[in-house]
Amino acid sequence: MLTQLIEPTVVSELIADSAPGFGYLLKDRVLDTETFLERIEVVGAGGTAIDPAVIDAHAGVIGLKGSLTPREAEVIRLVTSGRSNAGIASQLVISRRTVDAHLQAIFITLDIAAASDDNARVLAVRRWLDDFGSFRE
């Protein structure tokens, strides 16, 4: 969805729908064509791309009920925006190996045990958004 407004009920419906991939991007923040196309590819591949402003407006960046570290909260927030591990590493100025370690810690914290047919990143985003409860208020 490419929209001008943050509509929490729409985001909740997208999350609850369990579609293989979805995106919620704000028009005025899609300034870079390359980044926009990257996010479209993420959604097309079954991933999730949610504008960080949507997350900030409703969930903050403190993590799942405070159980994620501040860095893990940053990582999951960037995952929700559709960033790859390399993109997250670049943006946070850390190694890809460190991103992988943060993701593994997030999967453990969120109790994600993805089968080979599952996408652990998508499951983590959905669990984080759903468990945090910010979109259901």
Side-chain angles (χ1 to χ4, degrees):
M1 173 176 277
L2 186 59
T3 183
Q4 244 177 283
L5 303 170
I6 298 172
E7 293 288 338
T9 54
V10 173
V11 177
S12 291
E13 290 171 8
L14 287 171
I15 293 166
D17 188 31
S18 297
F22 67 90
Y24 194 98
L25 303 174
L26 300 175
K27 285 181 185 180
D28 62 339
R29 294 175 42 93
V30 179
L31 304 175
D32 177 27
T33 303
E34 186 176 323
T35 301
F36 177 67
L37 293 175
E38 178 183 295
R39 290 181 178 170
I40 296 275
E41 288 177 15
V42 166
V43 172
T48 303
I50 300 175
D51 192 290
V54 175
I55 302 302
D56 290 347
H58 296 285
V61 292
I62 60 168
L64 175 68
K65 298 180 184 169
S67 64
L68 296 180
T69 67
R71 182 61 94 176
E72 290 167 356
E74 282 182 286
V75 169
I76 193 75
R77 183 176 164 267
L78 290 169
V79 170
T80 66
S81 72
R83 303 293 295 187
S84 67
N85 287 9
I88 293 169
S90 175
Q91 186 162 342
L92 296 180
V93 192
I94 58 178
S95 71
R96 286 187 62 178
R97 188 174 183 165
T98 302
V99 172
D100 291 338
H102 285 306
L103 284 171
Q104 289 305 312
I106 290 166
F107 298 155
I108 290 167
T109 300
L110 300 179
D111 196 28
I112 302 295
S116 61
D117 291 343
D118 295 333
N119 184 322
R121 289 168 57 100
V122 172
L123 294 174
V125 166
R126 289 188 174 170
R127 174 88 36 89
W128 184 68
L129 292 172
D130 189 45
D131 287 353
F132 195 86
S134 63
F135 295 113
R136 305 216 186 273
E137 294 177 351

